[in-house]
Amino acid sequence: MAIFKLQINGRNYQTDVDADTPLLWVLRDSFGLTGTKYGCGIAQCGACTVHLDGEAVRSCVLPVSSVGKAKVTTIEGLSVNGDHPVQKAWNEIDVPQCGYCQAGQIMTAAAFLKRNPKPTQSQIDDIMTGNICRCGTYHRIREAVKLASTTAVSTKSAKTK
């Protein structure tokens, strides 16, 4: 066991776990941040996606010892009031069915749109292919990512005026 100090959602946390403990279990079991879900455990479904210094990563296979001083953002930290453009688009399009994969889908989309604010439909399809939805809401997920891209651009334009 070793002590790890992490910055998650703008707050400092400390835990005593084995160095190879996946970040997912540290988030859920040590800190109670249960918005990040366990799906496959082999980084294939995307349910466990969080941001590490703004990049989408699969926390189920990321050892806590590799986080270092990087800033971790979970679905709980994406926005204070659930008003991130991707979260708002998810609600507007009524994307979720069972909701299990949604945190990972939203985190993947948010990181993608930050890097690529005006994506093509093909780019959206390519990036979201790595996240699996057992309910099959892929069409609505794509619509929401596209809507979020237009909303985020509109929001930025309004702020610069």
Side-chain angles (χ1 to χ4, degrees):
M1 302 279 246
I3 302 289
F4 293 94
K5 295 179 180 178
L6 303 171
Q7 185 176 17
I8 305 167
N9 301 333
R11 295 184 54 203
N12 294 318
Y13 290 85
Q14 181 174 309
T15 188
D16 185 7
V17 295
D18 288 331
D20 63 348
T21 304
L23 177 61
L24 171 66
W25 298 119
V26 172
L27 294 170
R28 292 182 60 82
D29 296 345
S30 297
F31 306 136
L33 297 168
T34 57
T36 305
K37 304 299 185 200
Y38 173 80
C40 65
I42 56 172
Q44 295 298 304
C45 74
C48 66
T49 303
V50 298
H51 295 174
L52 195 64
D53 282 340
E55 295 295 322
V57 297
R58 305 293 166 91
S59 65
C60 71
V61 295
L62 183 69
V64 68
S65 58
S66 68
V67 173
K69 295 183 186 272
K71 295 177 182 174
V72 178
T73 305
T74 68
I75 190 70
E76 291 93 342
L78 188 60
S79 66
V80 175
N81 300 316
D83 60 354
H84 185 280
V86 175
Q87 291 170 309
K88 290 169 72 174
W90 239 250
N91 286 334
E92 187 168 330
I93 301 293
D94 197 22
V95 173
Q97 283 193 0
C98 83
Y100 197 82
C101 71
Q102 299 307 300
Q105 301 269 6
I106 289 170
M107 296 305 283
T108 297
F112 169 66
L113 291 174
K114 189 171 183 178
R115 284 190 327 271
N116 187 356
K118 294 182 180 180
T120 65
Q121 193 62 53
S122 176
Q123 290 170 320
I124 293 170
D125 292 346
D126 287 347
I127 198 70
M128 298 310 295
T129 295
N131 286 69
I132 296 172
C133 172
R134 64 184 178 192
C135 301
T137 63
Y138 297 110
H139 179 72
R140 292 194 311 243
I141 290 168
R142 286 191 299 265
E143 279 184 59
V145 175
K146 189 66 175 174
L147 176 62
S149 72
T150 60
T151 304
V153 170
S154 299
T155 302
K156 284 183 179 177
S157 296
K159 287 181 180 177
T160 57
K161 291 182 180 178

